[in-house]
Structure formats: C-alpha cells, structure tokens
Amino acid sequence: MIPGKYRSVSGRATNNVNCGLHLVIQTSSLPEKNKVEFKLHKETPSFPGRLLQHDLERNYSSRQGDHINLVSSSMPSFPILQRSSEEKILYSDRLTLERQKLTVCPIIDGEEHLRLLNFQHNFITRIQNISNLQRLIFLDLYDNQIEEISGLSTLRSLRVLLLGKNRIKKISNLENLKSLDVLDLHGNQISKIENVSHLCDLRVLNLARNLLSHVDNLNGLDSLTELNLRHNQITFVRDVDNLPCLQRLFLSFNNISTFESVCCLADSTSLSDITFDGNPIAQESWYKHTILQNMMQLRQLDMKRITEEERRMASVIAKKEEEKKRESQKQSLLKEKKRLTINNVARKWDLQQHRVTSIAANQDRKDSDSPSQDPGQVDGSTISAFPEETGSLDSALGNALQGLSVTDTHLVEVDGDTLSLYGSGALESLDRNWSVQTAGMVTTVSFTFIEFDEIVQVLPKLKIKFPNSLHLKFKETNLVMLQQFNALAQLRRIDQLTIDPQGNPVVSFTLWKYYVLFRLSHFSMQKINGTEVTQNDMIMAERLFGILAHVASSELPQYRLISILGDARKKQFRYLLETKGKKPGIVSEENNDSKRLVGENTNRATLNYTTRDFYNEKLEEIKEKKKFCKMYIEDLVKEATEINMKNEALQKLWPQMFIELVRDAVIEIRNKSSYMKLCLQQITDQK
C-alpha cells in the first residue's frame, strides 16, 4: 500500500457535517488485490461541530491540483482534463479537483479506472461529464452550486455520494445507485424526504440543515444505521420504527414540542443514541424521564450516557406522571359528564318552558274564542301543548328528553365554598346527611334551571343545612314579579344576591333592586348583582316602598296580621297593641324608638309571597271548609226547624194536657190515707 493519509473533506467537515462516521477506503496497487474495502467505525466526535469525517488511507505528498492541466476543448464551455502518465500511474484510482474555481465538470477521458473523484469547494452548477466513470465509488461535490441531482444514472458502483452545501431542493435521480452506502445532502434546500426507499444498502443519511418539516417515507432503508436531521424545522416523526438497523438518530435544533409527535421512536428496538437538544420538548420538565421511560433501549441521550440511576428515577417519575394523568383524565370525564348533564337539564327546562308557554297561549285563545267555536278545534289546541303526547314540538327536543335517564336530569356540585344545584331534582339533595365540615364551608348557593316556587319550599331546609350561606345566585329560575323576593325574608342571613337576567324577567324591572333592599333590609345586604349597596340606595328604597308596606299592614285585620308574623315577632306586635292604650307621657323615648323600629319590621312582614301550588292548596282547603260549614249550618237549621215545630205542637196540646194533669192529681189525693200508703209502698220498692 502507498504510505500516507489523505483527508478528502477534513477542511469542511468540522463545521457542516456531524454524524460521527469514520470512513476508510483501502486500496492496493497490486493487480491481484485491486479491490476497494469499506470499513465503518463509530467514533465519538471531539467537538460539537464535527459530524461526518471521511478518511482515506492514501493521500498525495503535494496538492494534486498542482499537477493537473485543464485545457479548452472543442466543445464550448467544457474544459478537458489532462494528466501526465506519471500522475496517472501514481494516482491511478483517484482525482481531486478542489478549489479550482470550476463552474462546470470538465471532460475526463482516459480515466475510466477512477474510484475517487473530488470536486469540493468549486462553483459547479450541474453534475455532468462523469457518466463514463462507471467504476467510481466515491464522489465528493461538497460546497458547490448544484440545484438538481442528475448525471449519475451510469454510476452503479457508487458507494459514497457527498452533495452537502449545495442548492438542491429535491431528492431525485438516485434510482440506479442501489449500492449507495453514504448519502450526504446536508446544507441544501430539501423540504421532503422522498425517492430513497430503494436504497436498501444505505447506512448513513445526512439531511442536516435543510427545510424538512416532518420525517416520513423512510420505508425500505433496511440497512440505515445513522440518520442526521439536525437544524431543520421538523415537528413530527414517522416511519422511523420501521428501520430495523437504525442506531443513531440526531434531531437536535428542530421544532419538536411533544412526545406524541415522535412516539413512533418508542417502538424502535435498535435505536441506541438520540438527540433532542435545541427542541422545545427539551425545555419541558418531563422531557428526560418521559424519553427514558418510553425508550428503554437507549444508551445515550443528547450525547450523554444514560446511567442506571437516571433510569430508576425516570421510572419513579413516570409512575407519578401516570397517576397524575389518570387523575386528570378522571377530572376530564367528570367535567364532560357535568357538561352533558347540564345540557340535558337545560333541554328539559326549555321543553318545560315551551310547554308552559303553549298552555298559556291556548288558554288565552280559549278566552278570546266565541262560544260557537268547534269543540274539536279547542281540544286539539290544548293537546298540542304536550309534545310527548302529540309530537308537535321540535323533534330534537322531544328525542333529547326521551333519552334522559333519572340521574341525568339534575346535578349537585360542591366546588369549594359554592353549592350548585341544576334541575328541580337537585333540591332533594338538601335532605341528605351533609357532613358538618362540608355544610359549614358552603357560603354560596347557586340555583339553575329550577322554578323559584320550588326553591321557596326548600328555603327552611337551606337555612338549617347550610347555616353559613351568605350569597344566593339565581339563573333560569322564572323570577317574574317583585313579590317573589318576599320569600327570601325567611332565611337567616343574606349578604349578596345575584339574579342572572337569563331566565329571570324581573331583572328588566327598573326598581327591582330597590324593592329587594326594602323588603330584605333586615339583612343589611352588601352587594346585589356584584354592585356595592350604598346608604343612598337604602334611603331611596325606603322612600319608594315604605308607604306600600304601611298601607298593606294597616288594611289587614289583627288576627290576620298575627298569623303572618312569626313567633319571635308576635310578642313585639302585642307590645305595640298594649302601648296604644297608654298615655303619651308614660311611654319613654326609648320605647318610642323601639315601637317605631318594630313597626317598620312588622310592616315589611306583611309583604309575603305565596307560591302558586300553595295558593291552589289553600283554595282547595277553603272550598272544603266552605262545604263543611254549609253542611253544618244546614243541619243546624234543620234541627232548629224541627224543634220549633215541636214547640208549636206543644203549645197547642198544653192546655188539654194541663187539665188532665190537674184532674189526675185530684183523683189521686182524694183518699188521703190510701194515697200515703201508695207513696210509702213506692218508696219501699225503690229501695
């Protein structure tokens, strides 16, 4: 072998290629050993910029370009290469033309035996005039201006093709290079990996510093051991798990942000070294332990050897992350279930409101129709208000209602200090045995999609179960009139009140806030719908509605007034009645103030609210009482009539009866001794 060593690309490999490859081509000048042997050795690079190094175990004692003559040819713009016979003998299998300021490939005749050809650091724009070099094994066109891969179809023996730092935009025209072992395309403008699936012997592929946004189309590269994709714009990776021999993968300085985008790497059984440094994913706290947990076969990560302690820690952290993930999924499922349940409750509420509206409209229509209207039409209108019976309502709402189960029609949720109730069925939760701690934490109670009249019935339970509730929220509760706010007076305390305009028409009234402040003045509320209550608001509320309460209380009889007041206020009211009879001078000034205050509270207490159901029950009760009273009076009248008739008959018979009584008495006592004996005998018999 010829002594010496030649580095064909050492002048530019340190800054542009970095896959850690050591390529050695050994040749012999002896005819019986005229054979090229490739040996690939992995070396750890001595500095970060070093990626791909090709060492040839022969070089020239001086620069070969100094002994090459380029002369003009008869063909326009193509120079002809001429070497002396001595040079051909001395360097029979290689030719280097680096840094010759070439813009085209020269015509190379009589050099068909060449195995290595070096054109690096020139200005060549197109690969041409080398189709006759069919024994060529090593072709270096690094640092030129080539825009397209072409002119290589006859080089079937080519093993190493170096096209780094050119202007190539597409991988193409490699169909006949099936023996290719190393393909270097770094520093170009390639945006897609394609047309390489036939390179089944390719072991090194360098696509660093291109414009790749994703990695795929790698099927068929069954011998690939090293893939360099540094400094691209890659966001996800596919097909890498289909490379059975891949050991080293370099993905540094890309745009990979999630493990899911490279999850196929976890299925690779051969991958041992990988780099992600310079990617957004490498900045995440979970980065290292996630990679190690999912890629157990790795030996190096980001050019650092992985220790057993790191693997153990990654396993522990991964278990914790898995628990957090399961908990997060559980919370997500609960949130989704909550969302679906609320949607079901909302649909049921809308259906109910539509139904009530239809009934009211039909009732108005009945009232306005003439008596001669066809009864069948009236009945039809009435029945159409019930969609589940006639199907006249929107079918989507009807189907949604039919699909609901019992558990989907209401929702009870305690979130921190807030108790949220959705749907009328949620009111039954107030009968639960709430823990003291949970009940004591609740300060806000929210009602949604529940009729206010139904809420009124559970307010006493709310006061007992959740004694610290200070804030009430109402949304879609059909608050339609000011009188409904009277029902809130039975609570223990309210600091804040929130009435959502949605589903509560009473909010459209101009003076509703002042009425709330007046009627619930004993609570000294701080906020209404998030707005602070001022002293001026309280004064205005008193001016607007004070006279109303006074008129209401003065018109009620005493027994009715006492029945309205609670037990705690009856004594105060009686005190007022007692002091009315005293002289003004006897009552002290303090008693006068107390009297005024109690009177104001009494006046407000007369403003109460009766729900429709309770009112209907009272009507039925009154009807029953009227019926009973009527029957009782009828019986009394009948009995009195009979007594009167008997009295009249007695008056008619009495004179005759009196005469007979007197006559019988005279006859009995006519014989005095016998009468006495008869009386004594009767007395004796009685004893």
Side-chain angles (χ1 to χ4, degrees):
M1 295 179 63
I2 299 175
K5 192 172 186 178
Y6 175 74
R7 296 179 182 271
S8 66
V9 293
S10 61
R12 48 85 184 177
T14 58
N15 294 324
N16 296 284
V17 193
N18 188 12
C19 62
L21 179 70
H22 208 61
L23 175 63
V24 179
I25 300 180
Q26 294 181 335
T27 62
S28 173
S29 59
L30 298 176
E32 64 272 12
K33 293 184 179 181
N34 192 10
K35 175 183 175 183
V36 177
E37 179 182 359
F38 287 84
K39 294 183 179 180
L40 293 171
H41 303 286
K42 174 70 177 66
E43 288 185 354
T44 303
S46 58
F47 46 86
R50 181 175 178 184
L51 301 177
L52 180 64
Q53 177 178 322
H54 303 278
D55 291 340
L56 306 177
E57 288 193 350
R58 293 180 63 187
N59 71 350
Y60 304 98
S61 58
S62 61
R63 291 188 58 182
Q64 194 174 356
D66 297 338
H67 305 282
I68 297 173
N69 295 322
L70 296 174
V71 300
S72 300
S73 67
S74 57
M75 298 179 65
S77 67
F78 288 115
I80 299 176
L81 175 71
Q82 292 182 352
R83 288 200 300 175
S84 64
S85 299
E86 296 174 353
E87 291 171 347
K88 289 183 179 181
I89 295 173
L90 184 61
Y91 310 112
S92 60
D93 60 348
R94 64 193 59 215
L95 175 63
T96 195
L97 294 171
E98 65 174 291
R99 303 184 190 277
Q100 297 297 316
K101 300 181 180 179
L102 296 174
T103 58
V104 296
C105 296
I107 297 174
I108 305 175
D109 286 334
E111 302 280 358
E112 287 77 8
H113 54 279
L114 281 180
R115 295 173 182 265
L116 184 151
L117 181 58
N118 180 4
F119 282 118
Q120 62 177 286
H121 302 297
N122 283 289
F123 304 100
I124 298 172
T125 59
R126 185 177 179 185
I127 305 172
Q128 51 192 350
N129 299 327
I130 60 172
S131 58
N132 58 321
L133 306 177
Q134 297 184 8
R135 295 186 180 182
L136 197 64
I137 293 176
F138 188 106
L139 177 59
D140 188 351
L141 286 159
Y142 170 78
D143 191 18
N144 280 278
Q145 299 178 8
I146 298 170
E147 297 183 357
E148 182 184 7
I149 302 174
S150 60
L152 304 174
S153 58
T154 60
L155 307 182
R156 299 179 181 274
S157 299
L158 195 64
R159 301 292 301 278
V160 179
L161 177 59
L162 308 180
L163 290 169
K165 202 176 179 182
N166 278 280
R167 301 176 181 177
I168 299 170
K169 297 181 180 179
K170 182 178 181 181
I171 303 175
S172 60
N173 300 319
L174 299 175
E175 289 78 9
N176 294 332
L177 305 185
K178 296 182 179 180
S179 299
L180 207 59
D181 191 87
V182 176
L183 177 59
D184 181 11
L185 292 169
H186 82 277
N188 283 282
Q189 302 170 21
I190 298 170
S191 60
K192 182 180 180 181
I193 301 176
E194 55 185 339
N195 302 320
V196 294
S197 59
H198 63 286
L199 302 177
C200 56
D201 293 331
L202 188 68
R203 290 198 285 175
V204 177
L205 176 59
N206 187 358
L207 289 168
R209 297 185 184 277
N210 276 281
L211 303 176
L212 298 174
S213 61
H214 55 276
V215 179
D216 53 7
N217 297 328
L218 295 174
N219 293 325
L221 301 180
D222 296 338
S223 300
L224 193 67
T225 61
E226 186 167 310
L227 178 59
N228 188 352
L229 298 169
R230 282 187 170 102
H231 293 282
N232 277 278
Q233 303 167 13
I234 296 170
T235 57
F236 68 89
V237 177
R238 285 201 298 257
D239 296 344
V240 174
D241 53 320
N242 296 327
L243 303 177
C245 297
L246 186 66
Q247 299 177 11
R248 295 171 294 279
L249 175 61
F250 305 100
L251 287 165
S252 306
F253 302 99
N254 280 283
N255 292 328
I256 299 170
S257 57
T258 64
F259 180 76
E260 286 72 19
S261 60
V262 293
C263 61
C264 66
L265 301 179
D267 298 327
S268 175
T269 58
S270 59
L271 195 61
S272 60
D273 299 347
I274 194 168
T275 63
F276 285 110
D277 53 301
N279 283 275
I281 190 176
Q283 305 299 321
E284 300 290 346
S285 59
W286 46 262
Y287 159 64
K288 190 170 186 178
H289 68 259
T290 301
I291 296 296
L292 296 183
Q293 179 66 18
N294 289 277
M295 304 175 68
M296 302 295 293
Q297 76 280 14
L298 284 184
R299 293 180 301 180
Q300 287 194 160
L301 176 62
D302 296 334
M303 308 303 292
K304 296 179 182 178
R305 183 166 293 278
I306 301 168
T307 64
E308 289 301 321
E309 178 64 18
E310 288 176 328
R311 292 188 189 277
R312 189 186 67 81
M313 290 299 298
S315 178
V316 172
I317 296 174
K319 289 180 180 179
K320 293 181 179 179
E321 291 293 333
E322 185 65 24
E323 291 177 359
K324 290 181 180 179
K325 185 177 180 180
R326 284 198 295 267
E327 183 63 25
S328 176
Q329 290 176 346
K330 181 180 178 182
Q331 294 299 323
S332 298
L333 289 175
L334 290 176
K335 288 181 179 179
E336 181 64 14
K337 183 178 180 180
K338 173 185 174 182
R339 186 187 68 82
L340 293 175
T341 302
I342 292 176
N343 287 343
N344 289 340
V345 174
R347 284 194 291 268
K348 184 178 180 182
W349 172 264
D350 291 339
L351 183 59
Q352 180 182 350
Q353 299 309 304
H354 182 95
R355 184 170 165 181
V356 171
T357 303
S358 299
I359 293 174
N362 291 333
Q363 188 62 41
D364 292 342
R365 193 179 301 113
K366 283 182 181 181
D367 295 339
S368 61
D369 286 341
S370 61
S372 60
Q373 184 180 5
D374 184 4
Q377 295 178 357
V378 177
D379 293 341
S381 301
T382 305
I383 296 174
S384 67
F386 299 91
E388 59 267 37
E389 297 176 2
T390 63
S392 62
L393 190 62
D394 185 356
S395 59
L397 288 177
N399 293 335
L401 181 60
Q402 292 174 3
L404 295 177
S405 64
V406 175
T407 56
D408 291 332
T409 56
H410 67 272
L411 175 67
V412 180
E413 180 185 32
V414 178
D415 185 9
D417 62 349
T418 302
L419 171 65
S420 299
L421 305 175
Y422 299 86
S424 59
L427 297 177
E428 298 176 1
S429 65
L430 297 178
D431 293 326
R432 295 180 185 172
N433 293 324
W434 294 87
S435 66
V436 177
Q437 182 180 2
T438 302
M441 288 174 55
V442 173
T443 60
T444 301
V445 182
S446 175
F447 300 94
T448 308
F449 303 119
I450 308 174
E451 285 284 350
F452 185 80
D453 285 359
E454 296 182 35
I455 298 173
V456 171
Q457 299 175 16
V458 301
L459 289 179
K461 297 178 182 178
L462 182 67
K463 179 173 63 174
I464 297 172
K465 294 284 187 178
F466 303 97
N468 297 327
S469 58
L470 304 175
H471 185 188
L472 296 184
K473 295 182 178 180
F474 297 91
K475 180 179 180 181
E476 293 282 3
T477 56
N478 268 347
L479 273 165
V480 296
M481 53 186 174
L482 298 179
Q483 293 93 318
Q484 290 174 299
F485 290 115
N486 299 339
L488 301 179
Q490 60 184 298
L491 294 174
R492 182 171 298 175
R493 181 182 174 187
I494 302 177
D495 284 352
Q496 295 187 53
L497 184 65
T498 301
I499 310 297
D500 195 293
Q502 186 175 349
N504 295 307
V506 72
V507 179
S508 62
F509 297 172
T510 306
L511 303 178
W512 77 272
K513 290 184 180 179
Y514 293 112
Y515 184 80
V516 170
L517 291 175
F518 171 77
R519 182 62 187 87
L520 307 178
S521 61
H522 56 291
F523 290 145
S524 300
M525 280 196 293
Q526 300 173 4
K527 289 184 179 180
I528 296 181
N529 277 14
T531 304
E532 293 284 347
V533 176
T534 64
Q535 187 63 31
N536 291 335
D537 293 334
M538 299 298 296
I539 295 172
M540 180 60 71
E542 184 65 30
R543 289 178 179 175
L544 289 172
F545 297 102
I547 187 65
L548 172 65
H550 175 72
V551 171
S553 62
S554 62
E555 292 296 326
L556 286 176
Q558 178 180 342
Y559 77 91
R560 178 60 179 151
L561 199 57
I562 292 177
S563 67
I564 292 176
L565 298 176
D567 293 336
R569 307 248 289 279
K570 288 181 180 178
K571 293 181 180 179
Q572 297 174 346
F573 181 73
R574 289 196 179 98
Y575 165 78
L576 287 176
L577 296 178
E578 291 172 359
T579 55
K580 286 183 178 180
K582 295 182 179 180
K583 296 181 180 180
I586 299 177
V587 182
S588 64
E589 196 65 29
E590 180 180 353
N591 290 339
N592 285 332
D593 295 338
S594 300
K595 177 183 176 181
R596 179 179 54 81
L597 180 60
V598 173
E600 289 178 351
N601 291 336
T602 303
N603 291 341
R604 289 179 174 83
T606 59
L607 301 174
N608 59 356
Y609 174 65
T610 302
T611 63
R612 287 190 294 268
D613 293 339
F614 183 75
Y615 179 73
N616 293 334
E617 292 177 3
K618 285 294 183 182
L619 286 179
E620 292 296 326
E621 184 180 348
I622 291 171
K623 289 180 181 179
E624 291 294 329
K625 288 182 178 180
K626 285 183 177 180
K627 183 178 180 181
F628 173 78
C629 291
K630 183 178 180 181
M631 292 176 61
Y632 181 72
I633 292 174
E634 287 178 352
D635 291 341
L636 289 177
V637 170
K638 184 177 179 181
E639 185 177 352
T641 303
E642 291 177 355
I643 292 173
N644 186 54
M645 291 175 64
K646 290 179 179 179
N647 185 42
E648 291 180 354
L650 179 61
Q651 293 297 328
K652 292 179 180 179
L653 296 174
W654 177 246
Q656 182 63 32
M657 291 174 62
F658 182 75
I659 293 172
E660 292 179 357
L661 287 173
V662 172
R663 187 190 62 187
D664 292 341
V666 171
I667 293 173
E668 286 179 356
I669 64 174
R670 183 173 53 186
N671 187 352
K672 194 173 193 178
S673 59
S674 61
Y675 178 72
M676 291 176 63
K677 289 180 182 180
L678 180 62
C679 290
L680 289 173
Q681 185 63 38
Q682 290 178 353
I683 293 172
T684 303
D685 294 340
Q686 290 178 356
K687 292 181 179 182

